[in-house]
Amino acid sequence: MIHDNQGRGEQVAKIPPGVGPRHPQVVVLVGATGDLSRRKLLPGLYHLCSAGFIPDWRIIGVSLDDIDAEAFRAIARGALTEFSTRKVDEAHWASFAEKLDYVPLAAGGEVLRAAVERAEASLGAESRRVHYLSVPPSAALPAVRLLAEGGLVERSRIIMEKPFGTDLASAVQLNARLHEVFAEEQIFRIDHFLGKEPAQNILAFRFANGLFEPIWNRNFIDHVQIDVPETLGLGKRSAFYEQTGAYRDMVVTHLFQILGFMAMEPPTALEPAPISEEKNKVFRSMRPIDPKDVVRGQYAGYREEPGVDPESDTETLIALKCEIDNWRWAGVPFFLRTGKRMAEGQRIISIAFREPPKSMFPAGSGVGAQGPDHLTFDLADASKMSLSFYGKRPGPGMRLDKLSLQFAMHDTGRIGDVLEAYERLILDAMRGDHTLFTTAEGIERLWEVSTALLESPPPVRLYPPGSWGPKSIHQLVAPHAWRLPFERAWRDPNTTGS
C-alpha cells in the first residue's frame, strides 16, 4: 500500500500490477555516500522499498569512504531526515536499515562479490542485481571494471549517470568499453527529466486525444520552445562544470531527450523498443547544429568561482535553434534555452500554433496583440499544462483578450501517487524497461549533430545574474518572442476561485 504522507494521510492507493519488479533486488550503489545518493537515491530507494514496490531487497553501498555498514546506516538515516519529502516511518526504517550493507571501494571486486552473494543467499529466492553508478564520469569505467572483476555482470542491470561522453569520439569510445562488459540491453543511461510525470504525460496527451494528434505537425504549429532556466548557481560543481558547460551538461542529455518525446512519430506499441526507435528517428532527422544559431552566455562573476579559470570560456547559458528535417516538422524551428543564475526557475515546453491566415476583426480589437495561441507543459514533478487562446472581452463592442485553460496535477486528487523521477527510473531499470532511457545509438547521434558547435563555438556573452540572459537571445528567436517570463503566472491550485 502507498500512504500519501504529504498532508493527506487518509489517501491510500493500491500499487497497480506490473509496476514493480517480479524478483527480489540486490542493489549495488557505487558512490553511496555522495551528494546525489544522499539527496535522491537513498530516500528514493527507501520509499520504493517501504511502499511495497519491491518484493524484497538488499542494498550494498560502495564508496571511497573507509567505513562499516553501521556508519553507512547512519549516513542513510541522515539523508532521509534531511532530504526525504515523505515522513519516515520508524518500523519501515528499521526494516530498511537491517538490509543495508557496505563495502569500501578499496576492498576490491572479490570482497564486493562476497557481499553480493551473502545478500542473495539471505533473500532465499531467485533475485536480480542492479548496479547504480552514482560517480563522476572519470570513475565510471573503473567502477565497471570493479563489477567485472567481481563477476557481478550476470543477471544484472547497470544504471549510469550523465554525461555520456563529451563529444562523438568519447561517446563512441565509452560505449565500446561498456559493451566489452555489459550488453546494451543491460545498460540504463539515466535522464531524470524523462522520469518526471509530465514527460510521460506528453505521450498520453499526444496519442490518446483525437483533438490534438491531428494538429501536431508543421501545418498547425509555428514553433516550439523548450526552456529550462535555473536560479541556482554551481555550488560545489564549479570544477566539474568548467569541463562541461551548459550545452554538454543540459542540452545533449536533457533538452534533446525531451525534444525527442515531443517530436516523435506514433510508436507501433507503447513498449520500450518501438518508443526508443521513434525517438532515435527524430535524432537521425535533426540537422547539425549551426554555430550561427547558438548564443552562449556566462553570468558575471562566474570566473571568480572556486575552481574556474580566470579567463574561462565556459558557457553557463545556452540558447539555440534546431530543426528536424522530416515530413512532420520541416520548417518548424525548435528553440532551446537553459542557464544558471537566471531570473526564474522554470521547466516548460511551449508550443506556438499558427495564427489564422486572415483576420476579420477590426483594427484595435486586440487580436494577435498578445502573440499566438500556446499549449504549455510545465515539467515540474507536480505537472501543469495551459492552453491559451483569444476570447471576447465582456461588454459592448468586439474587444479580445488572451484567456487560458489550465490543468494541474492537484486537480486529480492523486498528487500523492506521483513518484519522484529517480524513483520511477530505478523501478523501470529493475523491470528492464528502457522506455525512459537513452540508447547508445541515440546519444552518439546527438553528439554527431553537435560536432560543428563544439569545434567552432560562438563567443560567450556576459549577462547579469538574475536576468534572462544576454540580449542576443532575443535576436535568435526573432520574429518570435520567448514565452518566459510568463505574462500571467500559473494559477495557484490551492486558491479558491482561481
Side-chain angles (χ1 to χ4, degrees):
M1 305 291 281
I2 308 173
H3 294 267
D4 175 13
N5 292 311
Q6 296 173 310
R8 291 166 296 279
E10 74 284 354
Q11 183 178 333
V12 180
K14 291 184 178 179
I15 299 171
V19 170
R22 291 187 296 116
H23 300 286
Q25 303 288 313
V26 176
V27 179
V28 176
L29 181 53
V30 185
T33 60
D35 187 63
L36 176 62
S37 178
R38 292 186 303 108
R39 286 179 178 273
K40 295 292 184 181
L41 306 182
L42 287 169
L45 286 166
Y46 166 79
H47 176 236
L48 293 177
C49 295
S50 61
F53 284 101
I54 304 171
D56 202 354
W57 70 93
R58 299 292 185 272
I59 298 171
I60 302 169
V62 179
S63 81
L64 291 169
D65 295 326
D66 188 12
I67 58 175
D68 60 13
E70 198 58 39
F72 178 51
R73 293 185 186 106
I75 290 172
R77 182 55 199 252
L80 296 186
T81 301
E82 187 174 359
F83 298 114
S84 178
T85 59
R86 304 173 179 92
K87 184 178 179 181
V88 178
D89 179 276
E90 291 304 321
H92 288 157
W93 162 251
S95 173
F96 183 76
E98 71 179 10
K99 297 177 181 180
L100 297 179
D101 198 359
Y102 184 84
V103 174
L105 189 65
E110 288 301 317
V111 175
L112 179 57
R113 178 180 178 84
V116 170
E117 289 177 342
R118 284 196 307 272
E120 291 174 335
S122 69
L123 289 169
E126 184 182 358
S127 61
R128 297 289 184 270
R129 302 163 180 166
V130 174
H131 309 306
Y132 197 122
L133 304 192
S134 178
V135 296
S138 59
L141 287 176
V144 169
R145 286 196 296 271
L146 173 73
L147 298 171
E149 290 166 5
L152 298 173
V153 176
E154 186 183 0
R155 302 193 327 279
S156 74
R157 296 171 176 127
I158 182 169
I159 304 175
M160 300 193 64
E161 282 285 337
K162 68 175 180 75
F164 315 114
T166 56
D167 54 20
L168 178 59
S170 62
V172 169
Q173 182 182 32
L174 175 62
N175 285 327
R177 299 286 295 279
L178 280 174
H179 290 154
E180 291 173 1
V181 179
F182 290 94
E184 177 65 17
E185 58 267 23
Q186 292 178 280
I187 302 169
F188 292 77
R189 299 168 186 83
I190 198 166
D191 172 14
H192 71 272
F193 268 50
L194 293 188
K196 293 178 178 294
E197 195 78 32
Q200 298 156 82
N201 211 13
I202 294 169
L203 293 181
F205 192 88
R206 279 193 61 188
F207 299 128
N209 293 296
L211 175 62
F212 289 101
E213 176 51 28
I215 64 172
W216 211 267
N217 57 59
R218 63 187 301 274
N219 297 321
F220 298 94
I221 293 176
D222 184 74
H223 66 280
V224 177
Q225 296 180 25
I226 302 175
D227 206 355
V228 186
E230 297 180 282
T231 57
L232 298 175
L234 299 175
K236 299 179 181 178
R237 299 178 69 226
S238 300
F240 163 77
Y241 203 83
E242 179 69 358
Q243 305 302 316
T244 57
Y247 186 80
R248 289 180 170 93
D249 185 47
M250 288 290 292
V251 176
V252 176
T253 49
H254 292 324
L255 273 61
F256 279 160
Q257 300 299 327
I258 292 292
L259 183 151
F261 256 37
M262 188 269 158
M264 63 189 273
E265 295 295 321
T268 55
L270 196 64
E271 296 174 358
I275 290 175
S276 292
E277 174 57 20
E278 294 304 335
K279 247 176 50 177
N280 284 342
K281 284 181 183 177
V282 173
F283 300 151
R284 287 180 215 133
S285 300
M286 285 177 62
R287 289 184 175 178
I289 304 300
D290 188 334
K292 296 194 299 294
D293 293 330
V294 178
V295 174
R296 296 169 69 235
Q298 185 185 92
Y299 66 78
Y302 170 75
R303 294 175 181 176
E304 282 75 55
E305 300 271 8
V308 172
D309 185 337
E311 298 181 359
S312 174
D313 189 48
T314 299
E315 78 279 355
T316 62
L317 174 146
I318 190 97
L320 65 141
K321 180 178 77 172
C322 62
E323 297 183 48
I324 301 172
D325 197 14
N326 64 15
W327 194 271
R328 183 181 292 262
W329 297 113
V332 177
F334 287 73
F335 298 103
L336 281 58
R337 177 175 64 172
T338 186
K340 301 290 186 183
R341 301 288 300 275
M342 295 182 68
E344 290 180 25
Q346 293 275 0
R347 297 177 175 184
I348 69 160
I349 303 174
S350 190
I351 297 157
F353 292 99
R354 293 191 183 277
E355 299 190 53
K358 183 174 174 58
S359 175
M360 65 181 183
F361 296 95
S365 65
V367 67
Q370 297 182 55
D373 300 339
H374 283 88
L375 175 64
T376 303
F377 294 89
D378 182 2
L379 298 179
D381 284 322
S383 61
K384 299 187 284 277
M385 65 180 71
S386 170
L387 178 62
S388 71
F389 56 93
Y390 285 98
K392 182 184 178 299
R393 181 186 299 177
M398 183 58 75
R399 291 282 299 167
L400 303 182
D401 283 330
K402 205 62 176 290
L403 309 173
S404 69
L405 297 172
Q406 292 192 10
F407 160 80
M409 188 64 70
H410 289 82
D411 297 337
T412 67
R414 304 194 64 176
I415 188 67
D417 292 353
V418 174
L419 288 178
E420 293 189 0
Y422 280 100
E423 295 172 355
R424 179 183 304 280
L425 292 169
I426 290 170
L427 206 60
D428 283 355
M430 288 178 172
R431 295 168 50 235
D433 186 339
H434 277 88
T435 302
L436 302 177
F437 296 86
T438 58
T439 65
E441 177 192 343
I443 202 69
E444 289 175 13
R445 172 58 183 166
L446 291 175
W447 285 121
E448 183 180 6
V449 301
S450 304
T451 299
L453 172 61
L454 297 178
E455 290 180 348
S456 303
V460 293
R461 302 174 185 271
L462 293 180
Y463 63 95
S467 73
W468 284 101
K471 293 180 180 179
S472 48
I473 64 170
H474 302 295
Q475 298 167 351
L476 172 71
V477 79
H480 315 295
W482 290 103
R483 187 85 169 106
L484 291 174
F486 288 133
E487 299 122 358
R488 298 175 303 280
W490 290 102
R491 294 187 192 124
D492 183 350
N494 298 313
T495 302
T496 303
S498 64

